[in-house]
Amino acid sequence: MTAHDIAPSTPAAPPIAPEPAAAATCGDCGTVLQGPWCHACGQPVQGMVRHLASVMSDVGDTLFNVDSRIFRSLLPLYLRPGFLTNEYLAGRRTRYVTPFRLFFFLCVVAFFAIQFGINLTMIDEFGRGEVTLGDIRSAQTPEELDARRQAYLALLEAAAPAAAGAPRAKARLDAQVAAAQAAATERARFLRERAQAIANGQPTPTDPAAGGTIEIDGVAWQPTRESVRVAWLPEILNERLFIAAQRVKDNLVLARREPSHLVEGVLSVLPQTMFVLMPLFALLLKFAYVFKRRLYMEHLMVALHSHAFAFLSLLLLVLVDLLGGWLVPRWPATAGAFTLLTAAMWSWLFVYPLLMAKRVYRQGWLMTLLKYGFVGTCYLVLLALGISGALVASLALT
């Protein structure tokens, strides 16, 4: 062994430590950041200048809170009356979508689906732009009327084989045939009266398809500035009232020829109507359960969840109806199952609020039934007034 072998080894040089990364600072006040928000001025780290997918994700979360919680919320919302409300009032809130976001999300989706479903089944939309009932009602000669009637009925005949095994589809098809025959008969009568008036040198009757009139007690209604004027209103408001009355008249004439126009108008303002009625429903609950000494906001949670359930039920009913319309003509044996399912879903729509009131307010069955009848009757009146208001608003504003 040599001296070189027993000499102590030279220690290795210590590794060079990496320089610490510069701490992120707030772009507004320069404070060192400790999270996604500046604790000094409150400015968020993320602005709008970033990838579009990230921005849209934040928008969706803000408006709808669409994440895994939506799936944990929808099933108990539909199948467990009062469960989400009791969970919220007990303080277990983060695992579920908040009541207002659930209400808002389902309201938007449900009314979109309802409008889509109605558009698919409207009689005047059956021709898909080829021949419609409006074409029959506007024919100017007997020959043109007969050609359009035959073309429309040919479209209906082409759909008859697919509807043969589906009771609902066949009933709708029969109604379309009857409507076409009635429209053709009415138009033929007008064409005969007009031809006779021309032959006799008399004034011709007003053509309903040329704009038409609205009759009240047999008298044509034509709004004028004086007939709709309110004495105590400023002139600028009276002018707007006259313009609104003219729109109502024009829309009523249009709706007589194209019912889909009226339906679309009502559906366009109905969500806003439900936003107004929902707090009133909570007020009814506050009055009905006044001796429970609960805060109004607790009743508002019940109202939000019950309305969210109603929207979810309507959405599911539309989906089941569309599925049945597609499936039953192909497998007629499924018609009975769809009929029973639809009946059960409609029944559940009315039973659910009763069970929800029983589980949230925890009163006996007798008092729960009495208050269910009282609140339900009052709310149906409010709902009828709200829908009537939505109808008038759609006629006056669209």
Side-chain angles (χ1 to χ4, degrees):
M1 182 177 294
T2 63
H4 177 74
D5 296 329
I6 62 173
S9 60
T10 304
I16 300 174
E19 294 183 6
T25 58
C26 175
D28 182 38
C29 64
T31 304
V32 176
L33 294 171
Q34 300 179 7
W37 299 80
C38 176
H39 61 275
C41 67
Q43 177 173 280
V45 174
Q46 288 188 327
M48 296 299 293
V49 184
R50 49 195 165 100
H51 290 294
L52 180 62
S54 177
V55 175
M56 296 308 297
S57 176
D58 287 352
V59 171
D61 183 68
T62 300
L63 291 179
F64 303 116
N65 203 16
V66 179
D67 53 23
S68 60
R69 285 176 290 180
I70 192 73
F71 303 105
R72 287 201 300 265
S73 303
L74 290 180
L75 196 61
L77 175 67
Y78 190 75
L79 297 178
R80 303 181 65 180
F83 174 78
L84 288 182
T85 305
N86 285 330
E87 289 285 282
Y88 189 89
L89 297 179
R92 295 182 286 272
R93 301 165 188 164
T94 57
R95 68 187 73 174
Y96 308 109
V97 179
T98 58
F100 179 78
R101 285 180 174 176
L102 197 61
F103 166 81
F104 178 79
F105 172 75
L106 290 172
C107 177
V108 172
V109 175
F111 278 106
F112 176 80
I114 291 171
Q115 188 164 8
F116 176 76
I118 289 177
N119 286 340
L120 288 180
T121 56
M122 287 301 297
I123 293 175
D124 282 339
E125 295 294 325
F126 184 86
R128 300 179 184 272
E130 300 175 26
V131 181
T132 67
L133 284 180
D135 295 326
I136 295 176
R137 294 180 178 127
S138 61
Q140 294 301 313
T141 65
E143 294 76 17
E144 186 179 48
L145 172 62
D146 187 62
R148 293 181 179 183
R149 181 179 66 86
Q150 294 293 344
Y152 189 80
L153 291 176
L155 287 172
L156 298 178
E157 280 185 36
R168 286 184 299 175
K170 188 176 184 306
R172 187 160 57 238
L173 198 63
D174 292 341
Q176 291 169 334
V177 172
Q181 298 288 13
T185 301
E186 181 64 21
R187 190 63 184 174
R189 183 187 63 80
F190 165 76
L191 293 175
R192 285 195 304 271
E193 291 178 355
R194 187 174 67 177
Q196 186 176 359
I198 293 174
N200 296 334
Q202 299 174 346
T204 58
T206 302
D207 188 350
T213 59
I214 299 298
E215 294 186 355
I216 300 177
D217 292 333
V219 179
W221 176 61
Q222 180 61 44
T224 62
R225 283 181 171 82
E226 289 303 318
S227 63
V228 299
R229 188 175 184 277
V230 180
W232 49 270
L233 284 179
E235 284 305 315
I236 187 171
L237 293 182
N238 275 312
E239 184 65 22
R240 290 183 178 274
L241 188 61
F242 170 68
I243 294 173
Q246 289 279 18
R247 283 181 181 155
V248 169
K249 184 255 183 183
D250 294 340
N251 282 321
L252 285 174
V253 172
L254 179 60
R256 188 167 58 187
R257 299 197 307 268
E258 300 178 18
S260 60
H261 175 77
L262 182 61
V263 173
E264 290 174 1
V266 172
L267 289 177
S268 67
V269 295
L270 203 53
Q272 299 92 306
T273 305
M274 299 308 299
F275 272 87
V276 174
L277 291 179
M278 188 269 301
L280 296 179
F281 180 70
L283 195 61
L284 285 173
L285 292 174
K286 175 69 174 177
F287 179 76
Y289 293 94
V290 62
F291 295 111
K292 281 288 184 178
R293 301 185 181 278
R294 295 204 177 195
L295 298 174
Y296 172 78
M297 293 305 296
E298 295 181 72
H299 300 294
L300 188 62
M301 296 304 106
V302 178
L304 284 168
H305 279 139
S306 58
H307 279 74
F309 161 77
F311 294 140
L312 179 58
S313 294
L314 293 176
L315 173 61
L316 293 176
L317 282 165
V318 171
L319 295 178
V320 168
D321 184 68
L322 293 176
L323 179 62
W326 176 82
L327 194 62
V328 170
R330 292 163 176 79
W331 290 281
T334 61
F338 275 100
T339 301
L340 290 176
L341 178 60
T342 303
M345 293 174 69
W346 276 111
S347 300
W348 184 237
L349 181 61
F350 293 96
V351 172
Y352 184 100
L354 175 64
L355 298 178
M356 184 177 184
K358 180 71 173 67
R359 294 174 182 178
V360 173
Y361 295 107
R362 303 181 186 280
Q363 286 192 321
W365 278 110
L366 179 59
M367 292 301 297
T368 300
L369 284 168
L370 290 175
K371 293 179 179 181
Y372 173 78
F374 167 75
V375 174
T377 302
C378 293
Y379 189 66
L380 285 177
V381 173
L382 290 176
L383 188 61
L385 293 175
I387 293 176
S388 301
L391 175 61
V392 173
S394 69
L395 291 172
L397 301 178
T398 59

